[in-house]
Amino acid sequence: MTVLIASLVMLALFGINVPVAFAVTLATFVYFFISNDLSPVMVIQRMIGGADNVPLLAIPFFMMLGSILNYTGITQRLLKLSDLLSGHLRGGLAQTNVVLGALIGGPSGAGLADAAMICKVLVPEMVRNGYSKQFAAALTSASALLGPILPPGIGLIIYGFVSDTSIGKLFLGGMGPGVLLTFLLMVAVDWVAKRRGYKPVRTVKPNLKEVLLATKDAFWGLMLMVIILGGIRYGIFTPTEAGAVTVIYSLLVGFAYRETKWADVKAALAESARANGSIMLILMASAGFAWMLTWEGVASDVTTMMADFTTNPYVFLLVINIFLLVVGMFLDGNAAIIVLTPLLMPTVHMLGIDPVHFGITMIFNLSIGAITPPFGTTMFLTCNLTGVKIDEYMKEIIPFYLALLVALAATTYIPALSLILADLV
């Protein structure tokens, strides 16, 4: 009954638009105050304990990396490379949007940051070239989903910490689904461009010399993923250390390009501090709520319920996919990972599902929720930045939703897509 009351309080606070971190915190306090056998002091201990973990240091490092990239010239060089590689395709600028989302999505690790950056540097150019603002906003939000899935996505770090799964394996596990989603989004863009007559930016394919020159110019930006994945794969450093190394590396590249000033470093630090503060508040609040659910034995109850419902892992994954898609529409993805992972992992282990495969599937689902009404955070951000109404946005997102669902189905039912590279660690 106490868990039910706390959950209803949380849902009511969501309904009046209380920020996620404060809604979850207040619901957790309600539980501790109405429980006769628990001291209210414990809620503070559990929240602080949820943030007091070394693996979580990777989050501020990678958040800072995402902020720094915009001040180093790396993003602009990756944009030029993306335009060269995809500008000759039908719907050239739209294709560039997807390719850029893939190239910067990994290093930044956060879908909201990617969406904000692409809205700023590419959407105005798309509108000037005849693309509808609604189409540009929908495509940008879909491209931003590559950030949480490709390494080093923040959600991958949080899931690895909560589920005690190798973060290095999760980083590599996100590569296969990320590449597949990039391809499917480009197919969807081609289909829309053919129907609407969106033209290529370039009339001819780039020659080898142009590609080599653009790759050379963007080389130091492309090396970010090599450093992160290669360093983890060969045991040179941990994911947390990878975040620190790539921050220093990006700063050195920015100063070498002579495009980074000390004032830019200060601005990047302020941006990453604000973003990290928001995430850590959600982490701490969700840690207290997750402990409450564990203490009340909800995890074992969920396992028993699922075992009574089905022992078929494929049916379980289908049910969980539907459930997580709905949850992602209402709850921040990082908070949902912290609250739900401890509840679902016993069933995952019981059914013999690989935790890396399940983690990628879970994050994919919750990311789709972020571009879905009524409370999709990435959806709201792109619509606000572009001045697009939600109903207009929803009409344009349909082809990209189909691409996302196909990629999700492949990720869910073809475990090798996530595990081939992950098994190298």
Side-chain angles (χ1 to χ4, degrees):
M1 181 58 69
T2 52
V3 172
L4 178 61
I5 293 172
S7 300
L8 291 174
V9 169
M10 183 176 67
L11 292 174
L13 293 171
F14 285 158
I16 59 174
N17 292 325
V18 174
V20 171
F22 299 111
V24 177
T25 299
L26 289 171
T28 307
F29 268 106
V30 167
Y31 167 79
F32 276 89
F33 276 113
I34 63 178
S35 296
N36 295 324
D37 54 344
L38 295 174
S39 169
V41 177
M42 289 182 65
V43 66
I44 304 298
Q45 296 174 338
R46 295 301 170 184
M47 290 176 65
I48 294 175
D52 186 18
N53 288 277
V54 173
L56 294 181
L57 281 173
I59 295 176
F61 285 133
F62 284 119
M63 292 296 294
M64 185 177 179
L65 174 63
S67 298
I68 286 173
L69 288 179
N70 294 327
Y71 296 98
T72 58
I74 290 176
T75 298
Q76 292 300 323
R77 285 166 170 80
L78 291 175
L79 173 58
K80 291 178 182 178
L81 177 61
S82 302
D83 180 59
L84 184 70
L85 294 175
S86 58
H88 64 282
L89 300 174
R90 193 157 37 207
L93 275 177
Q95 300 284 11
T96 300
N97 191 315
V98 178
V99 175
L100 181 63
L103 290 180
I104 69 166
S108 80
L112 282 174
D114 297 343
M117 190 279 296
I118 296 175
C119 280
K120 182 171 65 175
V121 304
L122 197 55
V123 168
E125 188 67 21
M126 292 179 66
V127 174
R128 281 194 294 269
N129 280 268
Y131 293 84
S132 73
K133 188 182 296 184
Q134 295 81 3
F135 172 80
L139 175 60
T140 298
S141 66
S143 300
L145 262 64
L146 293 164
I149 298 168
L150 289 167
I154 302 303
L156 299 173
I157 299 170
I158 295 173
Y159 172 84
F161 162 70
V162 175
S163 65
D164 196 23
T165 303
S166 167
I167 295 175
K169 285 191 173 187
L170 287 165
F171 280 1
L172 287 171
M175 289 296 294
V179 171
L180 175 64
L181 178 57
T182 302
F183 171 75
L184 291 174
L185 287 175
M186 294 180 74
V187 171
V189 167
D190 181 79
W191 183 79
V192 175
K194 183 177 180 180
R195 289 168 57 89
R196 300 185 182 179
Y198 292 147
K199 302 296 183 182
V201 178
R202 301 164 56 93
T203 56
V204 295
K205 295 181 180 180
N207 57 45
L208 180 60
K209 182 179 179 180
E210 289 177 314
V211 173
L212 290 176
L213 286 174
T215 303
K216 178 183 176 182
D217 197 35
F219 175 79
W220 299 111
L222 296 172
M223 282 297 293
L224 277 169
M225 291 301 295
V226 177
I227 292 172
I228 293 169
L229 297 180
I232 295 172
R233 165 67 180 84
Y234 292 103
I236 300 172
F237 38 65
T238 66
T240 301
E241 293 165 345
V245 168
T246 50
V247 165
I248 296 172
Y249 169 86
S250 298
L251 286 173
L252 292 175
V253 170
F255 285 120
Y257 283 153
R258 297 184 179 180
E259 296 191 22
T260 301
K261 301 177 178 63
W262 286 111
D264 297 330
V265 177
K266 181 179 178 181
L269 284 170
E271 287 177 11
S272 57
R274 286 192 294 268
N276 186 64
S278 174
I279 288 178
M280 293 308 294
L281 277 174
I282 294 173
L283 277 171
M284 293 171 67
S286 302
F289 195 82
W291 183 89
M292 173 193 77
L293 296 176
T294 304
W295 176 262
E296 291 289 344
V298 177
S300 60
D301 293 340
V302 170
T303 302
T304 302
M305 180 185 69
M306 292 304 303
D308 292 339
F309 177 73
T310 182
T311 56
N312 187 319
Y314 297 104
V315 175
F316 169 76
L317 287 171
L318 176 62
V319 173
I320 290 301
N321 272 354
I322 297 171
F323 172 68
L324 292 176
L325 284 171
V326 174
V327 168
M329 297 177 191
F330 296 91
L331 188 61
D332 176 82
N334 295 325
I337 291 170
I338 297 172
V339 172
L340 296 176
T341 300
L343 302 182
L344 298 174
M345 287 312 293
T347 309
V348 169
H349 290 302
M350 180 190 74
L351 297 178
I353 300 171
D354 190 286
V356 172
H357 170 222
F358 181 76
I360 302 298
T361 303
M362 182 179 195
I363 292 165
F364 203 148
N365 274 286
L366 295 172
S367 298
I368 294 175
I371 65 168
T372 308
F375 300 118
T377 52
T378 305
M379 175 194 69
F380 278 124
L381 176 69
T382 53
C383 287
N384 287 336
L385 291 177
T386 57
V388 172
K389 295 180 180 179
I390 300 296
D391 58 338
E392 298 171 337
Y393 164 93
M394 287 305 301
K395 293 177 183 177
E396 296 288 350
I397 198 71
I398 292 174
F400 307 118
Y401 252 114
L402 295 175
L404 290 167
L405 292 176
V406 170
L408 175 60
T411 301
T412 302
Y413 291 110
I414 308 176
L417 194 63
S418 304
L419 299 179
I420 287 179
L421 292 176
D423 287 341
L424 295 174
V425 177

